[in-house]
Amino acid sequence: MMGLLLASPPVQAFDGTALDSNINAPQHIQPLTPPADVPLAPVARPVDEAFRTGAQALRSGQTAKGLDALGYAAAQGHAAAQWKLGRIYADGDGVKRDDAKAFSYFSKIANSHADDYPGTAQSRFVASAFVALGGYYLEGIPAAGVKRDPIRARDMYSYAASYFGDADAQYHLGKLYLDGVGGPKDARNAGRWLTLAAQKGQFEAQAMLGQLLFRGDEGVPRQAARGLMWLTLARDAAARPEDHWVVVLHEEVFAEASPDERAMALSYLENWLKTAKR
């Protein structure tokens, strides 16, 4: 092949004219090749294909096939597959709920991917795994030998909240500070974490922050109108039956607010919505 290439006549210019002075020499069109700087599509790894196959099987109702494929990918260290299986067993989604298995999958993610770069697609699974582990340490899993450990729970939430900037972790961490669980109560620190989560649209954090600001606490001066604004945003996002506490809390605070506080809250809300649309 190398000999043929060396013996080939000069290539043609883009307009088809010969670049060689011998116009009688036959010209051959060179094979087209992609430019060197154009990236080619990455070759799918078998483990990635197993994850896609498993996820698709679950969506089509083929639970056994889906679990088998996801199990293979998870065994190879595929973080998304491990997270998916963790959520399936934590929620009892198509299978019998098994918190021990869920805890195991989430722990594998946390142990292997704690240093993943924040902001990537995979880092969302890692942060979510830390949040799930925080919940398990907060309650404990007696059947799996996992003791209730609020301090450890706070550590899980704190890592996901600070390193990954996860809004759910920030909400849970703020709530622990507010309730004094896993350490001393610290309303001011609670307010900081709840604010970070609330600004990202985490409606539970918006509700807790709203209550905190409306009533005030040690180190947190009362800001009734701003608190009512956050609670109004939270109420509008509370759509699930288990979120009814947000609606009740908003009704209580709205009833306590003065007409001036309600009017100011509405003004704050309008400004917030304008900013959010930008």
Side-chain angles (χ1 to χ4, degrees):
M1 176 61 73
M2 181 60 72
L4 291 175
L5 291 175
L6 291 175
S8 299
V11 297
Q12 295 177 323
F14 286 113
D15 62 359
T17 59
L19 296 179
D20 191 273
S21 59
N22 182 3
I23 59 175
N24 294 319
Q27 300 297 314
H28 298 284
I29 299 176
Q30 298 298 312
L32 297 176
T33 56
D37 59 346
V38 175
L40 299 177
V43 178
R45 297 182 301 162
V47 66
D48 291 329
E49 184 59 33
F51 171 72
R52 285 193 290 271
T53 298
Q56 184 176 3
L58 289 176
R59 285 194 295 269
S60 62
Q62 303 177 69
T63 303
K65 180 180 178 180
L67 292 178
D68 183 63
L70 288 177
Y72 170 79
Q76 307 305 310
H78 196 284
Q82 292 171 337
W83 179 86
K84 183 67 174 177
L85 287 170
R87 285 263 48 99
I88 287 173
Y89 285 110
D91 300 333
D93 185 9
V95 299
K96 182 180 179 181
R97 177 171 172 172
D98 192 328
D99 289 319
K101 283 186 178 181
F103 180 85
S104 176
Y105 280 120
F106 292 136
S107 295
K108 289 176 181 177
I109 297 173
N111 291 333
S112 301
H113 300 278
D115 296 328
D116 280 13
Y117 194 77
T120 62
Q122 181 164 287
S123 69
R124 292 179 299 169
F125 298 119
V126 182
S128 180
F130 272 95
V131 172
L133 289 173
Y136 279 128
Y137 279 118
L138 200 57
E139 301 296 332
I141 312 175
V146 179
K147 296 181 179 180
R148 184 177 183 275
D149 189 343
I151 297 176
R152 184 68 171 157
R154 184 183 282 202
D155 289 341
M156 295 290 104
Y157 292 138
S158 180
Y159 188 81
S162 56
Y163 182 72
F164 291 109
D166 185 84
D168 289 333
Q170 291 167 346
Y171 158 66
H172 286 292
L173 182 60
K175 192 171 185 301
L176 291 186
Y177 275 115
L178 196 58
D179 297 337
V181 176
K185 177 180 177 180
D186 188 338
R188 187 171 181 80
N189 224 354
R192 290 171 176 167
W193 287 112
L194 291 173
T195 298
L196 287 174
Q199 290 174 341
K200 295 173 183 175
Q202 217 286 356
F203 75 92
E204 294 164 304
Q206 292 173 340
M208 296 299 297
L209 177 63
Q211 181 184 40
L212 176 62
L213 292 177
F214 186 85
R215 300 212 161 92
D217 205 326
E218 185 176 354
V220 181
R222 185 173 187 268
Q223 302 175 56
R226 197 166 295 279
L228 180 55
M229 179 208 77
W230 284 119
L231 272 164
T232 302
L233 284 170
R235 180 206 60 188
D236 291 344
R240 304 171 301 178
E242 58 266 35
D243 302 328
H244 186 62
W245 65 273
V246 176
V247 178
V248 173
L249 184 57
H250 173 269
E251 291 175 349
E252 292 176 354
V253 167
F254 187 83
E256 294 178 29
S258 68
D260 287 345
E261 289 168 343
R262 294 177 187 176
M264 184 62 70
L266 179 60
S267 177
Y268 285 147
L269 181 61
E270 290 172 346
N271 289 332
W272 169 267
L273 294 176
K274 288 178 182 178
T275 303
K277 291 180 179 179
R278 292 177 184 174

